[in-house]
Amino acid sequence: MLKTELVLAAEEVPNPIVPHVPELILGFIAFLLLLFVLKKYVVPRFETAYEERTKLIEGGIERAEKAQAEAEENLAQYKAQLAEARSEAAKIRDDARLEAEQIKAELRTEAEAESQRIVAQGQAQLQAQKAQIIAELRAELGRNSVELASRIVGESLADDARRHGTVDRFLAELETAGAAGGAGK
């Protein structure tokens, strides 16, 4: 009996390895239904999100490329402006040097002209003083000569015309004697 009971019990117990056919059919229908729902509703949403994300990334890349191109353009403009500013600064320095040299030359010319004017004025003053001193010395010499001559000659030389003639003759003799003595040296 035990054997029979075992055989009967073995026939009634389903095989755990082999699935039941109704479960297989129900699982297949549920899978197809899940596949349909995924394809109809979920996949389009994923595709839309993916496209939006792609567009966003590509737009960001385009914006970055435009920004980079703009930055390079701005850098080129900056370098050009910097080069222009440097050349302008060099030109201004050169102009300033030339202007300084011109001012220096003008000041030198003015100083030379001023010094020549001062020298000429000094010479004119010296000539005027020399003429004044000579006139004073002649007058003094004339008075002394007339007085001396009056003592020697014993007559009065008070007459102006006579005195001037005597003084002029005496001075002329002195000048000729001085010129002859100066030429002999």
Side-chain angles (χ1 to χ4, degrees):
M1 170 119 132
L2 229 132
K3 217 175 186 187
T4 39
E5 284 181 19
L6 276 173
V7 173
L8 284 177
E11 285 178 19
E12 290 180 18
V13 177
N15 190 356
I17 295 176
V18 178
H20 295 292
V21 175
E23 285 181 6
L24 278 177
I25 293 172
L26 186 61
F28 186 69
I29 290 173
F31 177 72
L32 287 177
L33 187 62
L34 180 65
L35 199 60
F36 174 75
V37 169
L38 285 175
K39 189 171 182 175
K40 181 84 173 172
Y41 299 106
V42 176
V43 170
R45 287 188 181 173
F46 276 126
E47 288 293 324
T48 306
Y50 177 72
E51 286 178 21
E52 288 175 2
R53 184 78 169 188
T54 304
K55 286 179 185 177
L56 209 93
I57 291 172
E58 288 175 354
I61 290 172
E62 287 177 13
R63 283 192 305 273
E65 287 174 351
K66 285 180 184 177
Q68 185 176 1
E70 188 177 324
E72 288 174 0
E73 182 180 323
N74 288 342
L75 179 64
Q77 288 177 352
Y78 171 74
K79 285 182 180 178
Q81 289 174 347
L82 186 61
E84 184 179 328
R86 284 182 180 158
S87 66
E88 190 173 325
K91 181 183 175 203
I92 289 171
R93 273 194 311 271
D94 292 341
D95 290 347
R97 281 189 198 123
L98 288 174
E99 189 175 334
E101 289 175 9
Q102 287 175 346
I103 290 171
K104 194 187 303 181
E106 288 174 4
L107 289 175
R108 185 175 291 130
T109 304
E110 289 176 8
E112 288 174 1
E114 183 68 18
S115 102
Q116 289 174 355
R117 184 188 65 77
I118 290 171
V119 167
Q121 187 179 16
Q123 287 177 347
Q125 285 178 347
L126 284 175
Q127 291 297 330
Q129 287 176 352
K130 181 180 174 183
Q132 182 182 2
I133 291 172
I134 289 175
E136 288 175 5
L137 286 176
R138 278 188 172 202
E140 183 72 27
L141 185 62
R143 278 192 300 273
N144 290 340
S145 297
V146 168
E147 189 178 317
L148 189 61
S150 296
R151 284 185 196 167
I152 293 175
V153 174
E155 65 179 82
S156 174
L157 296 175
D159 185 11
D160 264 352
R162 195 186 282 170
R163 188 175 357 139
H164 282 300
T166 306
V167 170
D168 288 340
R169 190 178 50 221
F170 178 70
L171 289 175
E173 287 175 11
L174 279 177
E175 284 179 5
T176 55
K185 287 182 184 177

PDB file of all heavy atoms in Angstrom, residues 6-7 14 18 29 32 41-42 53 75 82 88 93 97 114 121 123 125 136 151 161 173:
ATOM      1  N   LEU A   6       2.160   6.010  -2.735  1.00  0.00           N
ATOM      2  CA  LEU A   6       3.217   6.870  -3.240  1.00  0.00           C
ATOM      3  C   LEU A   6       2.990   7.189  -4.715  1.00  0.00           C
ATOM      4  O   LEU A   6       3.215   8.317  -5.153  1.00  0.00           O
ATOM      5  CB  LEU A   6       4.581   6.197  -3.096  1.00  0.00           C
ATOM      6  CG  LEU A   6       5.209   6.352  -1.736  1.00  0.00           C
ATOM      7  CD1 LEU A   6       6.454   5.522  -1.676  1.00  0.00           C
ATOM      8  CD2 LEU A   6       5.527   7.763  -1.368  1.00  0.00           C
ATOM      9  N   VAL A   7       2.574   6.228  -5.453  1.00  0.00           N
ATOM     10  CA  VAL A   7       2.346   6.417  -6.877  1.00  0.00           C
ATOM     11  C   VAL A   7       1.161   7.352  -7.046  1.00  0.00           C
ATOM     12  O   VAL A   7       1.193   8.244  -7.914  1.00  0.00           O
ATOM     13  CB  VAL A   7       2.077   5.060  -7.559  1.00  0.00           C
ATOM     14  CG1 VAL A   7       1.694   5.259  -8.970  1.00  0.00           C
ATOM     15  CG2 VAL A   7       3.278   4.207  -7.420  1.00  0.00           C
ATOM     16  N   PRO A  14       1.729  18.345  -9.008  1.00  0.00           N
ATOM     17  CA  PRO A  14       2.217  18.854 -10.296  1.00  0.00           C
ATOM     18  C   PRO A  14       3.738  19.013 -10.262  1.00  0.00           C
ATOM     19  O   PRO A  14       4.328  19.234  -9.217  1.00  0.00           O
ATOM     20  CB  PRO A  14       1.545  20.214 -10.435  1.00  0.00           C
ATOM     21  CG  PRO A  14       1.075  20.592  -9.077  1.00  0.00           C
ATOM     22  CD  PRO A  14       1.004  19.341  -8.270  1.00  0.00           C
ATOM     23  N   VAL A  18       7.799  22.502 -14.673  1.00  0.00           N
ATOM     24  CA  VAL A  18       6.959  22.837 -15.808  1.00  0.00           C
ATOM     25  C   VAL A  18       5.862  23.791 -15.321  1.00  0.00           C
ATOM     26  O   VAL A  18       5.105  23.466 -14.421  1.00  0.00           O
ATOM     27  CB  VAL A  18       6.326  21.549 -16.399  1.00  0.00           C
ATOM     28  CG1 VAL A  18       5.413  21.903 -17.548  1.00  0.00           C
ATOM     29  CG2 VAL A  18       7.396  20.597 -16.809  1.00  0.00           C
ATOM     30  N   ILE A  29      -0.120  37.544 -22.012  1.00  0.00           N
ATOM     31  CA  ILE A  29      -1.073  38.624 -22.263  1.00  0.00           C
ATOM     32  C   ILE A  29      -0.665  39.855 -21.435  1.00  0.00           C
ATOM     33  O   ILE A  29      -0.693  40.990 -21.937  1.00  0.00           O
ATOM     34  CB  ILE A  29      -2.512  38.172 -21.928  1.00  0.00           C
ATOM     35  CG1 ILE A  29      -2.977  37.140 -22.940  1.00  0.00           C
ATOM     36  CG2 ILE A  29      -3.468  39.352 -21.911  1.00  0.00           C
ATOM     37  CD1 ILE A  29      -4.305  36.495 -22.631  1.00  0.00           C
ATOM     38  N   LEU A  32       2.294  41.475 -23.147  1.00  0.00           N
ATOM     39  CA  LEU A  32       1.901  42.214 -24.345  1.00  0.00           C
ATOM     40  C   LEU A  32       1.196  43.516 -23.962  1.00  0.00           C
ATOM     41  O   LEU A  32       1.425  44.560 -24.585  1.00  0.00           O
ATOM     42  CB  LEU A  32       0.988  41.352 -25.227  1.00  0.00           C
ATOM     43  CG  LEU A  32       1.689  40.213 -25.964  1.00  0.00           C
ATOM     44  CD1 LEU A  32       0.655  39.394 -26.755  1.00  0.00           C
ATOM     45  CD2 LEU A  32       2.741  40.722 -26.899  1.00  0.00           C
ATOM     46  N   TYR A  41       2.563  55.007 -24.450  1.00  0.00           N
ATOM     47  CA  TYR A  41       2.616  56.168 -23.565  1.00  0.00           C
ATOM     48  C   TYR A  41       4.013  56.513 -23.044  1.00  0.00           C
ATOM     49  O   TYR A  41       4.384  57.683 -22.985  1.00  0.00           O
ATOM     50  CB  TYR A  41       1.682  55.943 -22.356  1.00  0.00           C
ATOM     51  CG  TYR A  41       0.238  55.774 -22.771  1.00  0.00           C
ATOM     52  CD1 TYR A  41      -0.376  54.534 -22.732  1.00  0.00           C
ATOM     53  CD2 TYR A  41      -0.489  56.870 -23.210  1.00  0.00           C
ATOM     54  CE1 TYR A  41      -1.701  54.375 -23.129  1.00  0.00           C
ATOM     55  CE2 TYR A  41      -1.810  56.715 -23.602  1.00  0.00           C
ATOM     56  CZ  TYR A  41      -2.421  55.472 -23.567  1.00  0.00           C
ATOM     57  OH  TYR A  41      -3.714  55.319 -23.959  1.00  0.00           O
ATOM     58  N   VAL A  42       4.776  55.547 -22.640  1.00  0.00           N
ATOM     59  CA  VAL A  42       6.050  55.814 -21.967  1.00  0.00           C
ATOM     60  C   VAL A  42       7.157  56.143 -22.966  1.00  0.00           C
ATOM     61  O   VAL A  42       7.906  57.119 -22.798  1.00  0.00           O
ATOM     62  CB  VAL A  42       6.427  54.627 -21.062  1.00  0.00           C
ATOM     63  CG1 VAL A  42       7.786  54.840 -20.430  1.00  0.00           C
ATOM     64  CG2 VAL A  42       5.372  54.404 -20.010  1.00  0.00           C
ATOM     65  N   ARG A  53      16.225  67.264 -24.444  1.00  0.00           N
ATOM     66  CA  ARG A  53      17.547  67.253 -23.819  1.00  0.00           C
ATOM     67  C   ARG A  53      18.636  67.435 -24.880  1.00  0.00           C
ATOM     68  O   ARG A  53      19.600  68.182 -24.692  1.00  0.00           O
ATOM     69  CB  ARG A  53      17.724  65.927 -23.059  1.00  0.00           C
ATOM     70  CG  ARG A  53      18.970  65.793 -22.297  1.00  0.00           C
ATOM     71  CD  ARG A  53      18.868  66.554 -21.034  1.00  0.00           C
ATOM     72  NE  ARG A  53      20.001  66.180 -20.202  1.00  0.00           N
ATOM     73  CZ  ARG A  53      20.129  66.545 -18.990  1.00  0.00           C
ATOM     74  NH1 ARG A  53      19.176  67.242 -18.436  1.00  0.00           N
ATOM     75  NH2 ARG A  53      21.175  66.227 -18.311  1.00  0.00           N
ATOM     76  N   LEU A  75      38.819  89.699 -28.327  1.00  0.00           N
ATOM     77  CA  LEU A  75      40.254  89.643 -28.039  1.00  0.00           C
ATOM     78  C   LEU A  75      41.048  90.239 -29.191  1.00  0.00           C
ATOM     79  O   LEU A  75      42.001  91.000 -28.977  1.00  0.00           O
ATOM     80  CB  LEU A  75      40.684  88.200 -27.771  1.00  0.00           C
ATOM     81  CG  LEU A  75      42.160  87.982 -27.474  1.00  0.00           C
ATOM     82  CD1 LEU A  75      42.551  88.698 -26.175  1.00  0.00           C
ATOM     83  CD2 LEU A  75      42.475  86.496 -27.377  1.00  0.00           C
ATOM     84  N   LEU A  82      44.966  97.826 -28.537  1.00  0.00           N
ATOM     85  CA  LEU A  82      46.181  97.935 -27.726  1.00  0.00           C
ATOM     86  C   LEU A  82      47.373  98.305 -28.606  1.00  0.00           C
ATOM     87  O   LEU A  82      48.175  99.173 -28.241  1.00  0.00           O
ATOM     88  CB  LEU A  82      46.440  96.620 -26.992  1.00  0.00           C
ATOM     89  CG  LEU A  82      47.590  96.602 -26.005  1.00  0.00           C
ATOM     90  CD1 LEU A  82      47.348  97.602 -24.886  1.00  0.00           C
ATOM     91  CD2 LEU A  82      47.768  95.206 -25.425  1.00  0.00           C
ATOM     92  N   GLU A  88      50.168 104.987 -30.944  1.00  0.00           N
ATOM     93  CA  GLU A  88      49.804 106.376 -30.677  1.00  0.00           C
ATOM     94  C   GLU A  88      50.639 106.941 -29.531  1.00  0.00           C
ATOM     95  O   GLU A  88      51.087 108.089 -29.587  1.00  0.00           O
ATOM     96  CB  GLU A  88      48.315 106.460 -30.334  1.00  0.00           C
ATOM     97  CG  GLU A  88      47.779 107.864 -30.284  1.00  0.00           C
ATOM     98  CD  GLU A  88      46.273 107.911 -30.115  1.00  0.00           C
ATOM     99  OE1 GLU A  88      45.593 107.038 -30.670  1.00  0.00           O
ATOM    100  OE2 GLU A  88      45.808 108.828 -29.418  1.00  0.00           O
ATOM    101  N   ARG A  93      55.027 110.329 -27.708  1.00  0.00           N
ATOM    102  CA  ARG A  93      56.355 110.491 -27.105  1.00  0.00           C
ATOM    103  C   ARG A  93      57.309 111.149 -28.089  1.00  0.00           C
ATOM    104  O   ARG A  93      58.077 112.056 -27.725  1.00  0.00           O
ATOM    105  CB  ARG A  93      56.903 109.132 -26.678  1.00  0.00           C
ATOM    106  CG  ARG A  93      56.509 108.694 -25.307  1.00  0.00           C
ATOM    107  CD  ARG A  93      57.351 107.527 -24.818  1.00  0.00           C
ATOM    108  NE  ARG A  93      57.480 106.432 -25.747  1.00  0.00           N
ATOM    109  CZ  ARG A  93      56.667 105.388 -25.842  1.00  0.00           C
ATOM    110  NH1 ARG A  93      55.640 105.290 -25.039  1.00  0.00           N
ATOM    111  NH2 ARG A  93      56.869 104.443 -26.734  1.00  0.00           N
ATOM    112  N   ARG A  97      59.129 114.687 -27.680  1.00  0.00           N
ATOM    113  CA  ARG A  97      60.581 114.870 -27.771  1.00  0.00           C
ATOM    114  C   ARG A  97      60.933 115.976 -28.766  1.00  0.00           C
ATOM    115  O   ARG A  97      61.774 116.833 -28.494  1.00  0.00           O
ATOM    116  CB  ARG A  97      61.253 113.564 -28.191  1.00  0.00           C
ATOM    117  CG  ARG A  97      61.408 112.582 -27.084  1.00  0.00           C
ATOM    118  CD  ARG A  97      62.268 111.399 -27.502  1.00  0.00           C
ATOM    119  NE  ARG A  97      62.051 110.309 -26.590  1.00  0.00           N
ATOM    120  CZ  ARG A  97      61.643 109.099 -26.919  1.00  0.00           C
ATOM    121  NH1 ARG A  97      61.456 108.797 -28.170  1.00  0.00           N
ATOM    122  NH2 ARG A  97      61.455 108.169 -26.018  1.00  0.00           N
ATOM    123  N   GLU A 114      69.257 137.280 -26.108  1.00  0.00           N
ATOM    124  CA  GLU A 114      69.235 138.099 -24.883  1.00  0.00           C
ATOM    125  C   GLU A 114      70.652 138.412 -24.433  1.00  0.00           C
ATOM    126  O   GLU A 114      70.969 139.540 -24.041  1.00  0.00           O
ATOM    127  CB  GLU A 114      68.457 137.374 -23.779  1.00  0.00           C
ATOM    128  CG  GLU A 114      68.297 138.153 -22.498  1.00  0.00           C
ATOM    129  CD  GLU A 114      67.394 139.373 -22.636  1.00  0.00           C
ATOM    130  OE1 GLU A 114      66.619 139.459 -23.600  1.00  0.00           O
ATOM    131  OE2 GLU A 114      67.494 140.252 -21.769  1.00  0.00           O
ATOM    132  N   GLN A 121      74.238 146.060 -25.092  1.00  0.00           N
ATOM    133  CA  GLN A 121      73.846 147.138 -24.192  1.00  0.00           C
ATOM    134  C   GLN A 121      75.014 147.505 -23.262  1.00  0.00           C
ATOM    135  O   GLN A 121      75.284 148.682 -23.015  1.00  0.00           O
ATOM    136  CB  GLN A 121      72.619 146.701 -23.379  1.00  0.00           C
ATOM    137  CG  GLN A 121      72.010 147.785 -22.533  1.00  0.00           C
ATOM    138  CD  GLN A 121      70.782 147.293 -21.781  1.00  0.00           C
ATOM    139  OE1 GLN A 121      70.563 146.102 -21.670  1.00  0.00           O
ATOM    140  NE2 GLN A 121      70.008 148.218 -21.273  1.00  0.00           N
ATOM    141  N   GLN A 123      78.203 147.033 -23.924  1.00  0.00           N
ATOM    142  CA  GLN A 123      79.214 147.715 -24.728  1.00  0.00           C
ATOM    143  C   GLN A 123      78.805 149.162 -24.993  1.00  0.00           C
ATOM    144  O   GLN A 123      79.648 150.070 -24.959  1.00  0.00           O
ATOM    145  CB  GLN A 123      79.442 146.967 -26.047  1.00  0.00           C
ATOM    146  CG  GLN A 123      80.202 145.678 -25.871  1.00  0.00           C
ATOM    147  CD  GLN A 123      80.366 144.908 -27.173  1.00  0.00           C
ATOM    148  OE1 GLN A 123      79.722 145.196 -28.163  1.00  0.00           O
ATOM    149  NE2 GLN A 123      81.256 143.919 -27.141  1.00  0.00           N
ATOM    150  N   GLN A 125      76.891 150.958 -23.077  1.00  0.00           N
ATOM    151  CA  GLN A 125      77.096 151.687 -21.823  1.00  0.00           C
ATOM    152  C   GLN A 125      78.571 151.982 -21.604  1.00  0.00           C
ATOM    153  O   GLN A 125      78.948 153.068 -21.152  1.00  0.00           O
ATOM    154  CB  GLN A 125      76.530 150.885 -20.644  1.00  0.00           C
ATOM    155  CG  GLN A 125      75.029 150.889 -20.547  1.00  0.00           C
ATOM    156  CD  GLN A 125      74.516 150.029 -19.385  1.00  0.00           C
ATOM    157  OE1 GLN A 125      75.258 149.255 -18.804  1.00  0.00           O
ATOM    158  NE2 GLN A 125      73.234 150.184 -19.095  1.00  0.00           N
ATOM    159  N   GLU A 136      85.361 164.129 -19.695  1.00  0.00           N
ATOM    160  CA  GLU A 136      85.724 164.696 -18.391  1.00  0.00           C
ATOM    161  C   GLU A 136      87.229 164.841 -18.278  1.00  0.00           C
ATOM    162  O   GLU A 136      87.736 165.863 -17.760  1.00  0.00           O
ATOM    163  CB  GLU A 136      85.195 163.801 -17.267  1.00  0.00           C
ATOM    164  CG  GLU A 136      83.696 163.861 -17.079  1.00  0.00           C
ATOM    165  CD  GLU A 136      83.196 162.872 -16.033  1.00  0.00           C
ATOM    166  OE1 GLU A 136      84.021 162.181 -15.374  1.00  0.00           O
ATOM    167  OE2 GLU A 136      81.971 162.774 -15.875  1.00  0.00           O
ATOM    168  N   ARG A 151     100.998 179.489 -16.238  1.00  0.00           N
ATOM    169  CA  ARG A 151     102.116 179.672 -15.324  1.00  0.00           C
ATOM    170  C   ARG A 151     103.426 179.728 -16.084  1.00  0.00           C
ATOM    171  O   ARG A 151     104.331 180.498 -15.742  1.00  0.00           O
ATOM    172  CB  ARG A 151     102.180 178.523 -14.320  1.00  0.00           C
ATOM    173  CG  ARG A 151     101.150 178.640 -13.254  1.00  0.00           C
ATOM    174  CD  ARG A 151     101.345 177.557 -12.228  1.00  0.00           C
ATOM    175  NE  ARG A 151     100.162 177.412 -11.409  1.00  0.00           N
ATOM    176  CZ  ARG A 151      99.932 176.430 -10.609  1.00  0.00           C
ATOM    177  NH1 ARG A 151     100.796 175.427 -10.525  1.00  0.00           N
ATOM    178  NH2 ARG A 151      98.860 176.408  -9.878  1.00  0.00           N
ATOM    179  N   ALA A 161      88.285 180.860 -26.762  1.00  0.00           N
ATOM    180  CA  ALA A 161      88.720 180.453 -28.088  1.00  0.00           C
ATOM    181  C   ALA A 161      90.186 180.094 -28.060  1.00  0.00           C
ATOM    182  O   ALA A 161      90.600 179.085 -28.631  1.00  0.00           O
ATOM    183  CB  ALA A 161      88.466 181.574 -29.096  1.00  0.00           C
ATOM    184  N   GLU A 173      98.515 166.522 -30.522  1.00  0.00           N
ATOM    185  CA  GLU A 173      99.917 166.126 -30.425  1.00  0.00           C
ATOM    186  C   GLU A 173     100.064 164.867 -29.581  1.00  0.00           C
ATOM    187  O   GLU A 173     100.868 163.987 -29.891  1.00  0.00           O
ATOM    188  CB  GLU A 173     100.746 167.275 -29.829  1.00  0.00           C
ATOM    189  CG  GLU A 173     100.957 168.419 -30.768  1.00  0.00           C
ATOM    190  CD  GLU A 173     101.678 169.596 -30.091  1.00  0.00           C
ATOM    191  OE1 GLU A 173     102.181 169.412 -28.951  1.00  0.00           O
ATOM    192  OE2 GLU A 173     101.727 170.655 -30.710  1.00  0.00           O
TER     193      GLU A 173
END
